[in-house]
Amino acid sequence: MEQKVMDPTVEKALEQFKALDEKITHFSSIIGLADWDQKVMAPKKGRSMFAKAAGTLRTEVFKLSVSQEMGDLLDTLLSNEKTEGLDEMTKAKVREYKEYYQKSKSIPADLFQEYSILTAQANDAWEEARENNDFARYLPSLEKIVEYKRKFAEIYGYEEHPYDALLDEFEPGLTVKKLDPLFAKLRESSVKLLERIKKNGKPTKVEIFDQSFEIEKQKEFNRFILPIIGFDMNAGRMDETVHPFAQTVNTGDVRLTTRYLEKNVRSALFGTIHEAGHGIYEQHVNPAFEESVLQSGASFGIHESQSRFLENMVGRSKEFWKYFYPKLQEYFPNQLENVSVEDFYRAVNTVQPSFIRVEADELTYNLHIMLRYEIEKALIGGEIEAKDLPAIWNQKMQDYLGVTPNTDTEGVLQDVHWSFGGIGYFPSYSLGNLYAAQILRTIQNEVPEFNNHIENGRFDLIQEWLKEKIHQYGKLYTPNELIVRVTGEELNADYLVEYLEKKYTEVYEL
Amino acid sequence: MEQKVMDPTVEKALEQFKALDEKITHFSSIIGLADWDQKVMAPKKGRSMFAKAAGTLRTEVFKLSVSQEMGDLLDTLLSNEKTEGLDEMTKAKVREYKEYYQKSKSIPADLFQEYSILTAQANDAWEEARENNDFARYLPSLEKIVEYKRKFAEIYGYEEHPYDALLDEFEPGLTVKKLDPLFAKLRESSVKLLERIKKNGKPTKVEIFDQSFEIEKQKEFNRFILPIIGFDMNAGRMDETVHPFAQTVNTGDVRLTTRYLEKNVRSALFGTIHEAGHGIYEQHVNPAFEESVLQSGASFGIHESQSRFLENMVGRSKEFWKYFYPKLQEYFPNQLENVSVEDFYRAVNTVQPSFIRVEADELTYNLHIMLRYEIEKALIGGEIEAKDLPAIWNQKMQDYLGVTPNTDTEGVLQDVHWSFGGIGYFPSYSLGNLYAAQILRTIQNEVPEFNNHIENGRFDLIQEWLKEKIHQYGKLYTPNELIVRVTGEELNADYLVEYLEKKYTEVYEL
């Protein structure tokens, strides 16, 4: 057997690159833990001081990521990739760092600093504006953020639409050209389906949820289902926060939060299942990727596909409730003893156009996202300005959902994302739904017993498939590579359209 | 007014030194939070992986502390100190970093690395040995640690006794020559006092504590007293761990832990008051010292003085229980309704020689420490060897406390300290008691209403004094400077001797 002799320069570069990747990942893991702590555990008085400490560590990660050392190592490895080739893992790591290095390196330090200060202040402005229903309070900050984002888009570079440069930050490779037809198809069918439900749908017994559900029992039930649906409690935690989230420290330490409302049992229930979807993904990443940039999910969209898949495709299925409903009735006999599983299943799938995205159902949720996508695209493209947003927002709400917010607080001011500069983030949510439906189709083909597994509580068999096909790979593949590997084709809106059509035809007896 | 013009080299050095100090302190604050998290919150499976991440950040702090940059800055500032002088804060910071820099810089990197691996392994060996009562399992590790510590003492340097070099790590400026007479006096009087109590003491009703105290109520009571005795719950937390401790993130975020045992109500009660003493100290440090090396307590000994002062001088006083006992009776009517406050007070001050240091009472505790001090001194001085420890330990236990452990697990294997290389640490505990008694004398002179304040629950007035005289200064002064500033003289064993004599004469009606 011929032993390949490695160029000593490349060998050394590989070693240094591994060490640098490990250091960055270690620091990022600590930042993750610290972020979780400040949201979940830290006492009030220490937070602003700690934010400075965390900022110092974040800056260190930024400096390492755009350092001369990083640049040189990437150069050496990229030129070797062309000649000798790199192993699959190194290739993926180089791809990840190169992407960030090239973008961030070209932002002048001054501009970055000014922008950081702006977003810190914009968050306060947004909070005040939202609290007082005062869009004018937010507008100057929002205008500046849009201005910066337009600048960044130019610096990052793009081929067709400036918004592409921002989309790419959240979903590598995503462009307006790819997304427009997907969303157009989904929007058209969703609006029509919504009309049909409104007109001909047999009402669900959604009033089931207009009852109090004891919080202590909700907690117990959530803790009961978490390990059954696949979340390893020895490799994670579950806590409470106002805004639920999942935070990874490492694959053996993934932390979920949820929110319990006595008057809204659905909030914690589906919130927990959703976050568990994110968490299980991270618990399943190949241990060989630990301590490297590959140790987390492929992209925002793919991540969201795993939370949506578990929350909606699994957690809002009839089979899911066939398995869990008797137990839920045991926990809440007063509230549920006279409610059939069929009625409960229909009730958790109630469609109800509303003003607030985070409270939206599976069908109307995507319409909320598309409204934001269209606004962002037009803003970055220079077709509209920030001052026009309230009017545009309300018009689109009426067009897509048939409702008009009474106030800007219920409308254009409801989301935090723009205030921290997260323009390009929203599409990930609907991408998640699109990916999830496509994955559902594949798993139904490859695991014919899929529905039975759910009905029998064999979530382990489903998770095994997800782990093998998706989770284990972490960031090894780009989102597009991954979806093609898993489903045999690129992202296609048909699957979600058909899924929604089928589901609601059944639920609403259309 | 004449404006002093600063040498631009010095001005620049000051700026860089401040930035470096801030960076090191920020990272240390994050390490503190992470350490707390791993002990209190982290799920099992993630811990070993996270330990690597934390190790990377710790190494970064080490590298910054012994960096060329640090060395150069210290040189510049120290030479300026001789000519132009430095402000008080900078002087103290330079003193702290210089101390660490000089010691650590002179340890060869290889030696440090070997030693780090050794202590990691020694901890496992100690745990196994303790579990199986097998000193031989621990001996090889202990021998190596002693060998390293002897080497380190030579590298660090000392004037009279090699153990001085190790003492200085925990209590800057402390030497065998200073400590020997303090401990000799304390030992002599403690052994005699113990004899008198055994012979002539009127028994206390310690059997009060042979009852179950509901854990939930213990928790409530502890949460009730914490803010009253001065701990700011908005600038801290209180959680549960097997081994109680206090951890500072910053002055607005100080975290305590305690342990609740149904069969031992004293454990959590005095443990909580003890840790609160540490915590309040850190909450009270001058905000101007935030983000600098000065932001924590003056030394291990001074820190321990604040926890012991609150636990023993305040928390085991008759006045304390005059104030709190009726409330405690409300929480535990079944257990305490027929127990008088006098009997309760005497019971919490029961003296009972025992094998285990952490369970020892206020009087015998110091004898446990002196035994360890003498062993460490002789070990580092080369007069005895690790293999001799079980026999020496048991002999000293008999001499000082009149009891001989049945097993090494109850004897020489009980403490974790040597396994992590903490030789020189133990004396801090008794130093804390010595400092505390001397501070007690001063506060009684300066605040004549001291006892009344306790009896009236006016802990705020006591904490105000401690803050003004001690806490606010953080690490600005050396422990010796501080005790002289506060009490007008250097550490003197007479105060603790007199305090113990007076207290137990009264408690035991001698």
Side-chain angles (χ1 to χ4, degrees):
Chain A
M1 213 175 90
E2 198 187 4
Q3 180 69 46
K4 203 168 131 191
V5 179
M6 195 181 265
D7 177 349
T9 325
V10 176
E11 200 172 345
K12 203 178 156 211
L14 278 171
E15 216 171 89
Q16 290 175 340
F17 181 65
K18 189 170 181 291
L20 186 55
D21 176 30
E22 199 173 287
K23 189 171 182 178
I24 289 171
T25 308
H26 280 166
F27 285 179
S28 301
S29 164
I30 295 172
I31 290 169
L33 182 150
D35 283 347
W36 173 87
D37 178 90
Q38 296 299 299
K39 286 180 197 150
V40 184
M41 292 291 159
K44 244 187 339 209
K45 288 191 186 169
R47 282 183 223 152
S48 65
M49 182 59 64
F50 190 81
K52 291 190 186 178
T56 300
L57 190 54
R58 250 182 259 279
T59 303
E60 193 69 18
V61 168
F62 177 77
K63 283 183 187 164
L64 292 169
S65 304
V66 300
S67 61
Q68 184 67 46
E69 188 191 2
M70 179 64 87
D72 294 347
L73 290 170
L74 290 172
D75 279 349
T76 305
L77 296 174
L78 281 164
S79 72
N80 194 66
E81 188 177 349
K82 285 180 201 127
T83 54
E84 302 284 317
L86 294 170
D87 66 274
E88 198 179 24
M89 267 176 73
T90 307
K91 224 164 122 178
K93 291 181 197 174
V94 166
R95 180 195 71 221
E96 290 296 320
Y97 281 112
K98 191 191 79 184
E99 175 87 14
Y100 188 81
Y101 178 84
Q102 286 182 333
K103 283 195 165 188
S104 307
K105 192 69 187 171
S106 46
I107 302 258
D110 289 357
L111 197 70
F112 193 85
Q113 177 73 6
E114 286 161 29
Y115 173 70
S116 302
I117 295 166
L118 169 64
T119 50
Q121 292 164 344
N123 190 271
D124 292 343
W126 168 72
E127 279 189 4
E128 265 184 52
R130 186 186 181 210
E131 209 165 300
N132 303 308
N133 189 37
D134 179 9
F135 182 73
R137 169 76 185 86
Y138 184 34
L139 182 59
S141 303
L142 187 56
E143 281 174 333
K144 277 185 217 144
I145 284 173
V146 171
E147 197 184 309
Y148 274 95
K149 285 284 162 176
R150 286 173 177 166
K151 260 188 226 167
F152 288 168
E154 295 304 322
I155 295 173
Y156 293 162
Y158 54 88
E159 286 185 14
E160 302 197 8
H161 197 292
Y163 187 49
D164 293 350
L166 305 185
L167 285 173
D168 186 77
E169 286 193 280
F170 298 94
E171 201 66 12
L174 189 69
T175 59
V176 165
K177 194 176 173 183
K178 287 185 186 171
L179 202 46
D180 268 348
L182 293 169
F183 275 10
K185 189 179 274 183
L186 180 59
R187 185 177 52 245
E188 199 185 334
S189 80
S190 296
V191 169
K192 277 188 197 155
L193 182 54
L194 181 58
E195 279 310 311
R196 283 168 57 212
I197 291 171
K198 280 195 210 165
K199 223 165 129 184
N200 305 320
K202 177 182 160 191
T204 68
K205 295 194 174 153
V206 68
E207 62 276 9
I208 297 167
F209 299 116
D210 296 338
Q211 306 183 74
S212 288
F213 290 75
E214 301 87 325
I215 284 180
E216 277 311 311
K217 286 191 183 172
Q218 287 194 43
K219 287 186 191 177
E220 275 176 48
F221 186 75
N222 278 8
R223 292 193 169 276
F224 164 73
I225 66 169
L226 267 181
I228 299 175
I229 61 179
F231 186 76
D232 180 352
M233 291 297 291
N234 289 318
R237 292 180 52 91
M238 173 69 175
D239 295 275
E240 287 174 57
T241 47
V242 177
H243 303 288
F245 66 97
Q247 175 69 55
T248 302
V249 177
N250 56 51
T251 61
D253 185 351
V254 179
R255 306 182 183 196
L256 315 181
T257 72
T258 198
R259 177 177 63 159
Y260 296 99
L261 301 171
E262 193 168 330
K263 298 285 177 193
N264 182 355
V265 71
R266 283 179 293 182
S267 173
L269 195 51
F270 292 101
T272 298
I273 301 171
H274 179 96
E275 299 307 335
H278 285 299
I280 293 164
Y281 188 175
E282 300 268 324
Q283 287 182 337
H284 283 173
V285 171
N286 186 343
F289 299 168
E290 284 271 24
E291 303 178 87
S292 91
V293 69
L294 305 181
Q295 81 169 8
S296 75
S299 70
F300 281 73
I302 297 286
H303 231 301
E304 198 67 14
S305 81
Q306 295 310 292
S307 55
R308 302 267 159 177
F309 184 82
L310 202 61
E311 177 193 354
N312 294 331
M313 279 70 178
V314 175
R316 282 191 165 89
S317 72
K318 195 182 281 185
E319 292 76 15
F320 186 88
W321 290 109
K322 279 190 185 158
Y323 180 72
F324 277 119
Y325 190 62
K327 197 78 189 178
L328 189 68
Q329 283 181 308
E330 272 179 41
Y331 277 83
F332 300 105
N334 298 334
Q335 293 88 342
L336 300 176
E337 66 183 349
N338 296 319
V339 178
S340 71
V341 64
E342 175 68 24
D343 282 343
F344 186 82
Y345 159 69
R346 293 188 65 234
V348 300
N349 284 296
T350 303
V351 170
Q352 178 64 57
S354 68
F355 305 134
I356 306 297
R357 174 183 59 86
V358 296
E359 291 168 7
D361 56 77
E362 213 178 333
L363 175 61
T364 61
Y365 192 93
N366 297 311
L367 297 171
H368 286 273
I369 294 304
M370 286 182 240
L371 170 158
R372 288 155 178 78
Y373 165 68
E374 288 162 18
I375 286 176
E376 290 186 346
K377 189 174 59 169
L379 265 179
I380 299 302
E383 297 153 40
I384 60 172
E385 294 301 328
K387 67 175 168 43
D388 310 322
L389 293 197
I392 296 173
W393 186 283
N394 292 352
Q395 185 55 52
K396 284 190 185 282
M397 282 297 289
Q398 191 57 50
D399 292 348
Y400 298 166
L401 288 155
V403 295
T404 301
N406 303 308
T407 65
D408 288 335
T409 297
E410 285 182 342
V412 68
L413 289 173
Q414 71 185 268
D415 299 304
V416 67
H417 302 60
W418 294 336
S419 80
F420 66 72
I423 298 179
Y425 189 136
F426 284 119
S428 314
Y429 295 117
S430 283
L431 279 177
N433 291 328
L434 291 163
Y435 283 130
Q438 189 161 327
I439 290 165
L440 176 69
R441 175 69 63 96
T442 304
I443 195 173
Q444 281 171 333
N445 287 337
E446 296 188 6
V447 185
E449 298 291 292
F450 178 75
N451 288 345
N452 286 339
H453 288 337
I454 297 178
E455 192 170 337
N456 296 324
R458 293 302 305 271
F459 300 94
D460 54 328
L461 299 172
I462 293 167
Q463 292 296 355
E464 215 167 78
W465 189 91
L466 293 170
K467 179 177 179 178
E468 193 204 323
K469 300 286 179 172
I470 300 169
H471 299 172
Q472 64 159 321
Y473 295 115
K475 270 196 194 307
L476 187 64
Y477 303 118
T478 66
N480 191 51
E481 283 168 359
L482 186 65
I483 197 71
V484 171
R485 275 183 68 98
V486 176
T487 68
E489 60 178 312
E490 298 206 358
L491 190 58
N492 180 333
D494 291 344
Y495 300 109
L496 183 58
V497 167
E498 286 166 28
Y499 163 83
L500 292 170
E501 185 69 27
K502 189 174 160 215
K503 177 163 196 170
Y504 290 109
T505 299
E506 192 236 321
V507 167
Y508 278 98
E509 301 182 9
L510 295 174
Chain B
M1 218 174 88
E2 197 186 4
Q3 181 70 44
K4 205 168 132 191
V5 180
M6 197 182 264
D7 177 347
T9 325
V10 176
E11 202 172 343
K12 201 176 157 212
L14 277 172
E15 216 171 89
Q16 291 175 339
F17 181 65
K18 189 168 178 296
L20 188 54
D21 176 29
E22 200 173 285
K23 188 170 183 179
I24 289 172
T25 308
H26 280 166
F27 285 180
S28 302
S29 165
I30 295 171
I31 291 170
L33 183 150
D35 282 347
W36 173 87
D37 178 89
Q38 296 299 298
K39 287 179 196 150
V40 184
M41 293 291 158
K44 243 187 339 209
K45 288 190 187 169
R47 282 183 222 153
S48 63
M49 183 58 65
F50 190 81
K52 291 190 186 175
T56 300
L57 190 53
R58 249 181 260 280
T59 303
E60 194 69 19
V61 168
F62 177 78
K63 282 184 188 162
L64 292 169
S65 304
V66 301
S67 61
Q68 184 68 46
E69 187 192 3
M70 179 64 88
D72 294 346
L73 289 170
L74 289 171
D75 279 350
T76 306
L77 295 174
L78 281 164
S79 72
N80 194 66
E81 186 177 349
K82 285 182 197 123
T83 53
E84 302 284 318
L86 294 170
D87 67 273
E88 198 179 23
M89 267 175 71
T90 307
K91 224 163 123 178
K93 289 182 198 174
V94 167
R95 180 195 71 220
E96 291 295 320
Y97 281 112
K98 192 191 78 183
E99 175 86 15
Y100 188 81
Y101 178 83
Q102 286 183 331
K103 283 193 166 188
S104 307
K105 192 70 185 170
S106 46
I107 301 254
D110 289 357
L111 197 70
F112 193 86
Q113 177 73 4
E114 286 162 30
Y115 174 69
S116 303
I117 294 166
L118 170 63
T119 50
Q121 291 165 343
N123 190 273
D124 292 342
W126 168 73
E127 278 188 4
E128 266 185 50
R130 187 186 181 210
E131 210 166 295
N132 302 306
N133 188 38
D134 179 9
F135 182 74
R137 171 76 184 84
Y138 184 33
L139 183 58
S141 303
L142 187 56
E143 280 173 334
K144 276 184 220 146
I145 285 173
V146 171
E147 199 185 308
Y148 274 95
K149 284 286 164 174
R150 285 172 178 167
K151 260 188 227 166
F152 288 169
E154 295 306 322
I155 296 173
Y156 293 163
Y158 54 88
E159 286 187 12
E160 301 196 10
H161 197 292
Y163 187 47
D164 293 349
L166 305 186
L167 285 173
D168 187 76
E169 285 193 278
F170 298 94
E171 201 66 13
L174 189 69
T175 60
V176 165
K177 195 176 172 182
K178 285 184 187 170
L179 201 47
D180 268 348
L182 293 168
F183 275 9
K185 190 181 271 182
L186 181 59
R187 184 175 55 243
E188 200 186 335
S189 80
S190 296
V191 170
K192 277 188 196 155
L193 181 54
L194 181 58
E195 279 310 310
R196 283 168 56 214
I197 291 171
K198 281 194 208 167
K199 225 164 127 184
N200 305 320
K202 178 183 158 189
T204 67
K205 294 192 174 156
V206 67
E207 63 277 8
I208 297 166
F209 299 116
D210 297 338
Q211 305 182 76
S212 288
F213 289 75
E214 301 87 328
I215 284 179
E216 277 311 311
K217 287 193 182 172
Q218 288 193 43
K219 286 186 190 175
E220 277 178 44
F221 186 74
N222 278 9
R223 291 194 169 274
F224 164 72
I225 66 169
L226 267 182
I228 299 175
I229 62 178
F231 186 76
D232 180 351
M233 291 297 290
N234 289 319
R237 293 181 50 91
M238 173 69 175
D239 295 274
E240 287 175 56
T241 47
V242 177
H243 303 289
F245 67 97
Q247 176 70 54
T248 302
V249 177
N250 56 50
T251 62
D253 185 351
V254 179
R255 306 182 183 196
L256 315 180
T257 72
T258 198
R259 175 178 64 160
Y260 296 97
L261 301 171
E262 192 168 331
K263 297 287 180 190
N264 183 354
V265 71
R266 283 179 293 182
S267 174
L269 195 52
F270 292 102
T272 299
I273 301 172
H274 179 97
E275 300 306 335
H278 285 301
I280 294 164
Y281 188 174
E282 301 267 325
Q283 288 182 336
H284 283 174
V285 171
N286 187 342
F289 298 167
E290 283 272 24
E291 302 179 88
S292 90
V293 68
L294 306 181
Q295 81 170 8
S296 76
S299 69
F300 281 73
I302 297 286
H303 230 301
E304 198 67 14
S305 82
Q306 295 309 292
S307 55
R308 302 267 162 179
F309 184 83
L310 201 62
E311 177 193 353
N312 293 329
M313 278 70 177
V314 175
R316 283 191 165 89
S317 71
K318 194 180 281 184
E319 292 76 15
F320 186 87
W321 289 108
K322 278 189 185 160
Y323 181 71
F324 277 118
Y325 191 62
K327 198 76 188 178
L328 189 67
Q329 282 181 310
E330 272 179 40
Y331 277 82
F332 300 104
N334 298 333
Q335 293 88 340
L336 299 176
E337 65 183 352
N338 296 319
V339 178
S340 70
V341 63
E342 174 68 22
D343 282 342
F344 187 81
Y345 160 68
R346 293 187 66 235
V348 299
N349 285 294
T350 303
V351 170
Q352 178 65 57
S354 69
F355 305 134
I356 306 297
R357 174 182 59 85
V358 296
E359 292 168 7
D361 55 77
E362 212 178 332
L363 175 61
T364 61
Y365 191 93
N366 297 309
L367 296 170
H368 286 274
I369 294 305
M370 286 183 240
L371 172 160
R372 287 156 178 79
Y373 166 67
E374 288 162 20
I375 286 175
E376 289 186 346
K377 188 173 63 170
L379 266 179
I380 299 303
E383 297 153 42
I384 60 173
E385 294 302 328
K387 67 176 167 44
D388 310 321
L389 292 197
I392 295 172
W393 184 284
N394 291 352
Q395 184 56 51
K396 283 189 187 286
M397 282 296 289
Q398 191 58 47
D399 292 348
Y400 298 165
L401 287 156
V403 296
T404 302
N406 303 306
T407 64
D408 288 336
T409 296
E410 286 182 342
V412 68
L413 289 173
Q414 70 184 269
D415 300 303
V416 67
H417 301 60
W418 294 337
S419 80
F420 65 74
I423 297 179
Y425 188 136
F426 283 119
S428 314
Y429 295 116
S430 282
L431 279 176
N433 290 328
L434 291 163
Y435 283 130
Q438 188 162 328
I439 289 163
L440 176 68
R441 176 67 64 93
T442 305
I443 196 174
Q444 282 172 332
N445 288 336
E446 295 188 7
V447 185
E449 296 293 292
F450 178 74
N451 288 344
N452 287 339
H453 288 338
I454 298 178
E455 193 170 336
N456 297 325
R458 293 302 307 271
F459 299 94
D460 55 329
L461 299 172
I462 293 166
Q463 292 296 355
E464 215 167 78
W465 189 91
L466 293 170
K467 180 178 180 177
E468 192 204 323
K469 300 285 179 172
I470 300 168
H471 299 172
Q472 64 159 319
Y473 295 114
K475 269 197 195 308
L476 188 63
Y477 303 117
T478 66
N480 191 53
E481 283 167 1
L482 186 65
I483 197 69
V484 172
R485 276 182 67 97
V486 176
T487 69
E489 61 179 311
E490 298 205 359
L491 189 59
N492 180 334
D494 291 344
Y495 300 109
L496 183 57
V497 167
E498 286 166 29
Y499 162 82
L500 293 170
E501 184 70 28
K502 189 175 158 215
K503 177 165 198 172
Y504 289 109
T505 299
E506 191 236 321
V507 168
Y508 278 97
E509 303 182 7
L510 296 173

